Amino acid sequence: AALEPVSIRGREASFAAYELRSEEPRLYRARLGAERQVFSALVGRESELASLRAALARLHEGQGGIVNLIAEAGLGKSRLVKELSASPEGVGVTWLEGRSLSNGQQLSFHPFADLGRAWAGITDDDDEAVARAKLEAGVRVLLPDQAEEVFPFLATLVGLRLEGEARERVEQMQGDAR
């Protein structure tokens, strides 16, 4: 609902103000358009969709891989992913989507950190302890026998501070080995 305009010190003009009526928790990563509904048929992307379906078929055969969709904004990357996830090949696949943002160029492994946070369900509102607990729980489910070994490195990758033995383990390793 609209409120009275707000004056801000140092600005001549006043600004429109609105009352917040509800709030939805936001994942750490930016929304990628997956929540958009599309009702029209996909046109002109058959070869790209066929390539992506082939990659998923290889995944179902046990051959992993990485797919990059690179194009200017508005050319249908999100739409291709939506079509692929709804295809028969997309059934039973865990989807992790991320972005390589230009302002993240100076951050080590930025897209992977974003993917790791999204995978673990870490939100912007989570403090360090909650984020660490979410990541550790996810690693324990995925790799129960290797969780103690893997967790410190994933935590470092997603930008979480470590404590105790986990911190010492990571600090003892030199750059490239880490």
Side-chain angles (χ1 to χ4, degrees):
L3 301 172
E4 292 293 318
V6 175
S7 297
I8 298 176
R9 185 176 51 193
R11 300 283 184 143
E12 290 182 28
S14 58
F15 296 88
Y18 299 90
E19 177 184 0
L20 179 64
R21 297 270 175 112
S22 67
E23 184 177 349
E24 178 181 319
R26 196 169 70 94
L27 287 179
Y28 173 78
R29 65 184 172 87
R31 292 195 178 256
L32 300 175
E35 68 280 355
R36 287 187 224 151
Q37 291 187 347
V38 179
F39 300 103
S40 61
L42 183 67
V43 177
R45 295 286 185 218
E46 291 80 11
S47 66
E48 292 90 345
L49 191 55
S51 294
L52 292 170
R53 283 183 168 162
L56 274 184
R58 289 189 301 274
L59 177 66
H60 285 293
E61 294 168 359
Q63 296 177 4
I66 296 174
V67 174
N68 291 311
L69 294 178
I70 302 170
E72 295 294 323
L75 292 181
K77 298 178 299 292
S78 296
R79 177 65 191 275
L80 273 172
V81 171
K82 183 113 177 128
E83 290 286 331
L84 187 63
S85 67
S87 73
E89 297 87 354
V91 174
V93 173
T94 299
W95 292 90
L96 298 177
E97 300 174 33
R99 288 184 172 179
S100 296
L101 302 174
S102 61
N103 61 356
Q105 286 180 333
Q106 302 305 315
L107 303 172
S108 298
F109 303 107
H110 169 66
F112 299 103
D114 188 42
L115 287 172
R117 285 179 163 275
W119 169 78
I122 298 171
T123 66
D124 288 340
D125 297 328
D126 291 337
D127 62 24
E128 283 274 329
V130 170
R132 231 183 345 267
K134 286 181 175 181
L135 181 64
E136 188 169 11
V139 171
R140 288 193 186 286
V141 168
L142 188 63
L143 302 165
D145 297 336
Q146 300 168 321
E148 296 295 323
E149 186 68 29
V150 172
F151 170 75
F153 299 101
L154 283 179
T156 301
L157 177 72
V158 301
L160 298 175
R161 287 183 295 243
L162 296 171
E163 299 170 345
E165 186 180 319
R167 180 179 176 183
E168 290 173 18
R169 182 180 303 144
V170 171
E171 286 178 350
Q172 289 175 356
M173 297 187 81
Q174 298 300 315
D176 286 345
R178 191 180 306 172

